[in-house]
PDB file of all heavy atoms in Angstrom:
ATOM      1  N   PHE A  23       0.850  -1.192   0.000  1.00 96.00           N
ATOM      2  CA  PHE A  23       0.000   0.000   0.000  1.00 96.00           C
ATOM      3  C   PHE A  23       0.880   1.235   0.000  1.00 96.00           C
ATOM      4  O   PHE A  23       2.101   1.162   0.232  1.00 96.00           O
ATOM      5  CB  PHE A  23      -0.938   0.010   1.212  1.00 96.00           C
ATOM      6  CG  PHE A  23      -0.254   0.068   2.541  1.00 96.00           C
ATOM      7  CD1 PHE A  23       0.069   1.291   3.135  1.00 96.00           C
ATOM      8  CD2 PHE A  23       0.093  -1.098   3.205  1.00 96.00           C
ATOM      9  CE1 PHE A  23       0.714   1.345   4.351  1.00 96.00           C
ATOM     10  CE2 PHE A  23       0.741  -1.053   4.440  1.00 96.00           C
ATOM     11  CZ  PHE A  23       1.057   0.170   5.006  1.00 96.00           C
ATOM     12  N   GLY A  24       0.258   2.389  -0.244  1.00 96.00           N
ATOM     13  CA  GLY A  24       0.993   3.640  -0.254  1.00 96.00           C
ATOM     14  C   GLY A  24       0.112   4.804   0.117  1.00 96.00           C
ATOM     15  O   GLY A  24      -1.105   4.776  -0.053  1.00 96.00           O
ATOM     16  N   LEU A  25       0.738   5.840   0.639  1.00 95.00           N
ATOM     17  CA  LEU A  25       0.085   7.107   0.960  1.00 95.00           C
ATOM     18  C   LEU A  25       0.760   8.190   0.136  1.00 95.00           C
ATOM     19  O   LEU A  25       2.002   8.260   0.069  1.00 95.00           O
ATOM     20  CB  LEU A  25       0.211   7.416   2.448  1.00 95.00           C
ATOM     21  CG  LEU A  25      -0.539   6.475   3.405  1.00 95.00           C
ATOM     22  CD1 LEU A  25      -0.106   6.733   4.837  1.00 95.00           C
ATOM     23  CD2 LEU A  25      -2.043   6.655   3.260  1.00 95.00           C
ATOM     24  N   ALA A  26      -0.041   9.072  -0.468  1.00 91.00           N
ATOM     25  CA  ALA A  26       0.505  10.082  -1.372  1.00 91.00           C
ATOM     26  C   ALA A  26       0.010  11.468  -0.990  1.00 91.00           C
ATOM     27  O   ALA A  26      -1.197  11.722  -0.998  1.00 91.00           O
ATOM     28  CB  ALA A  26       0.117   9.761  -2.810  1.00 91.00           C
ATOM     29  N   TRP A  27       0.940  12.339  -0.652  1.00 91.00           N
ATOM     30  CA  TRP A  27       0.687  13.757  -0.476  1.00 91.00           C
ATOM     31  C   TRP A  27       1.192  14.479  -1.733  1.00 91.00           C
ATOM     32  O   TRP A  27       1.870  13.884  -2.567  1.00 91.00           O
ATOM     33  CB  TRP A  27       1.409  14.271   0.756  1.00 91.00           C
ATOM     34  CG  TRP A  27       0.877  13.738   2.050  1.00 91.00           C
ATOM     35  CD1 TRP A  27      -0.048  14.330   2.868  1.00 91.00           C
ATOM     36  CD2 TRP A  27       1.249  12.509   2.698  1.00 91.00           C
ATOM     37  NE1 TRP A  27      -0.297  13.552   3.965  1.00 91.00           N
ATOM     38  CE2 TRP A  27       0.490  12.431   3.898  1.00 91.00           C
ATOM     39  CE3 TRP A  27       2.121  11.466   2.389  1.00 91.00           C
ATOM     40  CZ2 TRP A  27       0.593  11.362   4.774  1.00 91.00           C
ATOM     41  CZ3 TRP A  27       2.235  10.401   3.256  1.00 91.00           C
ATOM     42  CH2 TRP A  27       1.474  10.357   4.430  1.00 91.00           C
ATOM     43  N   PRO A  28       0.882  15.750  -1.892  1.00 87.00           N
ATOM     44  CA  PRO A  28       1.331  16.447  -3.110  1.00 87.00           C
ATOM     45  C   PRO A  28       2.838  16.371  -3.348  1.00 87.00           C
ATOM     46  O   PRO A  28       3.282  16.221  -4.485  1.00 87.00           O
ATOM     47  CB  PRO A  28       0.860  17.893  -2.877  1.00 87.00           C
ATOM     48  CG  PRO A  28      -0.330  17.759  -1.995  1.00 87.00           C
ATOM     49  CD  PRO A  28      -0.020  16.606  -1.077  1.00 87.00           C
ATOM     50  N   ASN A  29       3.642  16.454  -2.274  1.00 90.00           N
ATOM     51  CA  ASN A  29       5.094  16.476  -2.446  1.00 90.00           C
ATOM     52  C   ASN A  29       5.812  15.339  -1.733  1.00 90.00           C
ATOM     53  O   ASN A  29       7.043  15.358  -1.619  1.00 90.00           O
ATOM     54  CB  ASN A  29       5.650  17.818  -1.948  1.00 90.00           C
ATOM     55  CG  ASN A  29       5.148  18.981  -2.777  1.00 90.00           C
ATOM     56  OD1 ASN A  29       5.145  18.917  -4.012  1.00 90.00           O
ATOM     57  ND2 ASN A  29       4.694  20.037  -2.112  1.00 90.00           N
ATOM     58  N   PHE A  30       5.060  14.370  -1.248  1.00 93.00           N
ATOM     59  CA  PHE A  30       5.684  13.274  -0.512  1.00 93.00           C
ATOM     60  C   PHE A  30       4.843  12.014  -0.677  1.00 93.00           C
ATOM     61  O   PHE A  30       3.614  12.065  -0.698  1.00 93.00           O
ATOM     62  CB  PHE A  30       5.811  13.621   0.973  1.00 93.00           C
ATOM     63  CG  PHE A  30       6.368  12.508   1.819  1.00 93.00           C
ATOM     64  CD1 PHE A  30       7.671  12.077   1.646  1.00 93.00           C
ATOM     65  CD2 PHE A  30       5.581  11.881   2.769  1.00 93.00           C
ATOM     66  CE1 PHE A  30       8.188  11.053   2.420  1.00 93.00           C
ATOM     67  CE2 PHE A  30       6.085  10.860   3.551  1.00 93.00           C
ATOM     68  CZ  PHE A  30       7.397  10.441   3.374  1.00 93.00           C
ATOM     69  N   GLN A  31       5.515  10.883  -0.806  1.00 94.00           N
ATOM     70  CA  GLN A  31       4.828   9.599  -0.958  1.00 94.00           C
ATOM     71  C   GLN A  31       5.624   8.529  -0.225  1.00 94.00           C
ATOM     72  O   GLN A  31       6.860   8.520  -0.272  1.00 94.00           O
ATOM     73  CB  GLN A  31       4.707   9.242  -2.440  1.00 94.00           C
ATOM     74  CG  GLN A  31       4.026   7.920  -2.725  1.00 94.00           C
ATOM     75  CD  GLN A  31       3.853   7.688  -4.223  1.00 94.00           C
ATOM     76  OE1 GLN A  31       3.646   8.625  -4.988  1.00 94.00           O
ATOM     77  NE2 GLN A  31       3.954   6.438  -4.642  1.00 94.00           N
ATOM     78  N   ILE A  32       4.919   7.631   0.444  1.00 96.00           N
ATOM     79  CA  ILE A  32       5.571   6.519   1.121  1.00 96.00           C
ATOM     80  C   ILE A  32       4.857   5.233   0.729  1.00 96.00           C
ATOM     81  O   ILE A  32       3.620   5.193   0.660  1.00 96.00           O
ATOM     82  CB  ILE A  32       5.598   6.705   2.648  1.00 96.00           C
ATOM     83  CG1 ILE A  32       6.437   5.598   3.304  1.00 96.00           C
ATOM     84  CG2 ILE A  32       4.194   6.788   3.231  1.00 96.00           C
ATOM     85  CD1 ILE A  32       6.781   5.877   4.752  1.00 96.00           C
ATOM     86  N   ASP A  33       5.624   4.185   0.440  1.00 97.00           N
ATOM     87  CA  ASP A  33       5.075   2.909  -0.022  1.00 97.00           C
ATOM     88  C   ASP A  33       5.745   1.766   0.715  1.00 97.00           C
ATOM     89  O   ASP A  33       6.947   1.823   1.024  1.00 97.00           O
ATOM     90  CB  ASP A  33       5.295   2.732  -1.529  1.00 97.00           C
ATOM     91  CG  ASP A  33       4.669   3.840  -2.344  1.00 97.00           C
ATOM     92  OD1 ASP A  33       3.436   3.952  -2.330  1.00 97.00           O
ATOM     93  OD2 ASP A  33       5.435   4.603  -2.974  1.00 97.00           O
ATOM     94  N   VAL A  34       4.978   0.721   0.981  1.00 97.00           N
ATOM     95  CA  VAL A  34       5.523  -0.507   1.545  1.00 97.00           C
ATOM     96  C   VAL A  34       5.032  -1.681   0.701  1.00 97.00           C
ATOM     97  O   VAL A  34       3.963  -1.617   0.077  1.00 97.00           O
ATOM     98  CB  VAL A  34       5.116  -0.701   3.022  1.00 97.00           C
ATOM     99  CG1 VAL A  34       5.680   0.401   3.878  1.00 97.00           C
ATOM    100  CG2 VAL A  34       3.608  -0.792   3.163  1.00 97.00           C
ATOM    101  N   ALA A  35       5.801  -2.768   0.671  1.00 97.00           N
ATOM    102  CA  ALA A  35       5.449  -3.917  -0.167  1.00 97.00           C
ATOM    103  C   ALA A  35       6.056  -5.188   0.402  1.00 97.00           C
ATOM    104  O   ALA A  35       7.044  -5.144   1.152  1.00 97.00           O
ATOM    105  CB  ALA A  35       5.937  -3.709  -1.598  1.00 97.00           C
ATOM    106  N   TYR A  36       5.464  -6.304  -0.007  1.00 97.00           N
ATOM    107  CA  TYR A  36       5.955  -7.608   0.410  1.00 97.00           C
ATOM    108  C   TYR A  36       5.788  -8.587  -0.748  1.00 97.00           C
ATOM    109  O   TYR A  36       4.762  -8.590  -1.436  1.00 97.00           O
ATOM    110  CB  TYR A  36       5.178  -8.112   1.634  1.00 97.00           C
ATOM    111  CG  TYR A  36       5.725  -9.384   2.241  1.00 97.00           C
ATOM    112  CD1 TYR A  36       6.951  -9.396   2.878  1.00 97.00           C
ATOM    113  CD2 TYR A  36       4.999 -10.568   2.172  1.00 97.00           C
ATOM    114  CE1 TYR A  36       7.467 -10.554   3.447  1.00 97.00           C
ATOM    115  CE2 TYR A  36       5.494 -11.742   2.748  1.00 97.00           C
ATOM    116  CZ  TYR A  36       6.726 -11.724   3.377  1.00 97.00           C
ATOM    117  OH  TYR A  36       7.227 -12.884   3.936  1.00 97.00           O
ATOM    118  N   ASP A  37       6.802  -9.404  -0.971  1.00 96.00           N
ATOM    119  CA  ASP A  37       6.808 -10.416  -2.027  1.00 96.00           C
ATOM    120  C   ASP A  37       7.123 -11.752  -1.366  1.00 96.00           C
ATOM    121  O   ASP A  37       8.121 -11.883  -0.659  1.00 96.00           O
ATOM    122  CB  ASP A  37       7.879 -10.058  -3.069  1.00 96.00           C
ATOM    123  CG  ASP A  37       7.996 -11.063  -4.208  1.00 96.00           C
ATOM    124  OD1 ASP A  37       7.730 -12.267  -3.994  1.00 96.00           O
ATOM    125  OD2 ASP A  37       8.383 -10.648  -5.314  1.00 96.00           O
ATOM    126  N   THR A  38       6.281 -12.766  -1.603  1.00 95.00           N
ATOM    127  CA  THR A  38       6.503 -14.063  -0.972  1.00 95.00           C
ATOM    128  C   THR A  38       6.356 -15.190  -1.978  1.00 95.00           C
ATOM    129  O   THR A  38       5.494 -15.157  -2.866  1.00 95.00           O
ATOM    130  CB  THR A  38       5.533 -14.286   0.209  1.00 95.00           C
ATOM    131  OG1 THR A  38       5.803 -15.554   0.811  1.00 95.00           O
ATOM    132  CG2 THR A  38       4.083 -14.255  -0.251  1.00 95.00           C
ATOM    133  N   SER A  39       7.233 -16.181  -1.864  1.00 92.00           N
ATOM    134  CA  SER A  39       7.151 -17.426  -2.626  1.00 92.00           C
ATOM    135  C   SER A  39       7.664 -18.533  -1.722  1.00 92.00           C
ATOM    136  O   SER A  39       8.015 -18.301  -0.570  1.00 92.00           O
ATOM    137  CB  SER A  39       7.971 -17.348  -3.919  1.00 92.00           C
ATOM    138  OG  SER A  39       9.359 -17.315  -3.622  1.00 92.00           O
ATOM    139  N   ASP A  40       7.741 -19.755  -2.244  1.00 86.00           N
ATOM    140  CA  ASP A  40       8.203 -20.878  -1.422  1.00 86.00           C
ATOM    141  C   ASP A  40       9.630 -20.690  -0.934  1.00 86.00           C
ATOM    142  O   ASP A  40       9.985 -21.120   0.170  1.00 86.00           O
ATOM    143  CB  ASP A  40       8.091 -22.186  -2.210  1.00 86.00           C
ATOM    144  CG  ASP A  40       6.653 -22.631  -2.415  1.00 86.00           C
ATOM    145  OD1 ASP A  40       5.779 -22.139  -1.668  1.00 86.00           O
ATOM    146  OD2 ASP A  40       6.404 -23.451  -3.306  1.00 86.00           O
ATOM    147  N   THR A  41      10.473 -20.074  -1.742  1.00 82.00           N
ATOM    148  CA  THR A  41      11.895 -20.004  -1.401  1.00 82.00           C
ATOM    149  C   THR A  41      12.427 -18.599  -1.225  1.00 82.00           C
ATOM    150  O   THR A  41      13.596 -18.427  -0.897  1.00 82.00           O
ATOM    151  CB  THR A  41      12.744 -20.701  -2.491  1.00 82.00           C
ATOM    152  OG1 THR A  41      12.596 -19.986  -3.726  1.00 82.00           O
ATOM    153  CG2 THR A  41      12.317 -22.142  -2.669  1.00 82.00           C
ATOM    154  N   TYR A  42      11.610 -17.583  -1.444  1.00 85.00           N
ATOM    155  CA  TYR A  42      12.119 -16.215  -1.419  1.00 85.00           C
ATOM    156  C   TYR A  42      11.069 -15.280  -0.843  1.00 85.00           C
ATOM    157  O   TYR A  42       9.906 -15.313  -1.266  1.00 85.00           O
ATOM    158  CB  TYR A  42      12.504 -15.777  -2.837  1.00 85.00           C
ATOM    159  CG  TYR A  42      13.157 -14.417  -2.933  1.00 85.00           C
ATOM    160  CD1 TYR A  42      14.423 -14.192  -2.396  1.00 85.00           C
ATOM    161  CD2 TYR A  42      12.510 -13.367  -3.590  1.00 85.00           C
ATOM    162  CE1 TYR A  42      15.029 -12.948  -2.503  1.00 85.00           C
ATOM    163  CE2 TYR A  42      13.121 -12.121  -3.705  1.00 85.00           C
ATOM    164  CZ  TYR A  42      14.379 -11.915  -3.149  1.00 85.00           C
ATOM    165  OH  TYR A  42      14.974 -10.685  -3.253  1.00 85.00           O
ATOM    166  N   LYS A  43      11.467 -14.437   0.109  1.00 89.00           N
ATOM    167  CA  LYS A  43      10.566 -13.463   0.707  1.00 89.00           C
ATOM    168  C   LYS A  43      11.328 -12.160   0.855  1.00 89.00           C
ATOM    169  O   LYS A  43      12.486 -12.149   1.283  1.00 89.00           O
ATOM    170  CB  LYS A  43      10.054 -13.950   2.065  1.00 89.00           C
ATOM    171  CG  LYS A  43       9.357 -15.316   1.988  1.00 89.00           C
ATOM    172  CD  LYS A  43       8.865 -15.795   3.343  1.00 89.00           C
ATOM    173  CE  LYS A  43       8.399 -17.241   3.271  1.00 89.00           C
ATOM    174  NZ  LYS A  43       7.333 -17.465   2.303  1.00 89.00           N
ATOM    175  N   VAL A  44      10.664 -11.061   0.504  1.00 91.00           N
ATOM    176  CA  VAL A  44      11.319  -9.764   0.594  1.00 91.00           C
ATOM    177  C   VAL A  44      10.313  -8.715   1.026  1.00 91.00           C
ATOM    178  O   VAL A  44       9.165  -8.702   0.570  1.00 91.00           O
ATOM    179  CB  VAL A  44      11.989  -9.381  -0.755  1.00 91.00           C
ATOM    180  CG1 VAL A  44      10.971  -9.314  -1.880  1.00 91.00           C
ATOM    181  CG2 VAL A  44      12.725  -8.061  -0.635  1.00 91.00           C
ATOM    182  N   GLY A  45      10.738  -7.837   1.921  1.00 93.00           N
ATOM    183  CA  GLY A  45       9.956  -6.687   2.320  1.00 93.00           C
ATOM    184  C   GLY A  45      10.645  -5.412   1.905  1.00 93.00           C
ATOM    185  O   GLY A  45      11.886  -5.337   1.881  1.00 93.00           O
ATOM    186  N   SER A  46       9.858  -4.386   1.578  1.00 94.00           N
ATOM    187  CA  SER A  46      10.429  -3.163   1.048  1.00 94.00           C
ATOM    188  C   SER A  46       9.655  -1.955   1.561  1.00 94.00           C
ATOM    189  O   SER A  46       8.431  -2.017   1.746  1.00 94.00           O
ATOM    190  CB  SER A  46      10.393  -3.170  -0.492  1.00 94.00           C
ATOM    191  OG  SER A  46      10.718  -1.911  -1.028  1.00 94.00           O
ATOM    192  N   MET A  47      10.376  -0.860   1.761  1.00 95.00           N
ATOM    193  CA  MET A  47       9.761   0.425   2.086  1.00 95.00           C
ATOM    194  C   MET A  47      10.492   1.498   1.293  1.00 95.00           C
ATOM    195  O   MET A  47      11.725   1.519   1.272  1.00 95.00           O
ATOM    196  CB  MET A  47       9.831   0.731   3.574  1.00 95.00           C
ATOM    197  CG  MET A  47       9.273   2.103   3.943  1.00 95.00           C
ATOM    198  SD  MET A  47       9.313   2.435   5.741  1.00 95.00           S
ATOM    199  CE  MET A  47       8.046   1.303   6.288  1.00 95.00           C
ATOM    200  N   SER A  48       9.739   2.347   0.642  1.00 95.00           N
ATOM    201  CA  SER A  48      10.368   3.417  -0.136  1.00 95.00           C
ATOM    202  C   SER A  48       9.631   4.733   0.090  1.00 95.00           C
ATOM    203  O   SER A  48       8.466   4.759   0.463  1.00 95.00           O
ATOM    204  CB  SER A  48      10.402   3.063  -1.627  1.00 95.00           C
ATOM    205  OG  SER A  48       9.099   2.911  -2.144  1.00 95.00           O
TER     206      SER A  48
END
């Protein structure tokens, strides 16, 4: 999900599979 202001945005994400998992924030 993400939140967006006119001059600022923050996003988080997650990717999952049997052998690989990754979390991200930007």
Side-chain angles (χ1 to χ4, degrees):
F23 63 89
L25 293 169
W27 292 265
N29 296 314
F30 176 66
Q31 179 176 326
I32 187 167
D33 302 295
V34 297
Y36 187 68
D37 179 330
T38 181
S39 69
D40 289 342
T41 64
Y42 185 67
K43 304 179 190 302
V44 60
S46 170
M47 177 178 290
S48 62

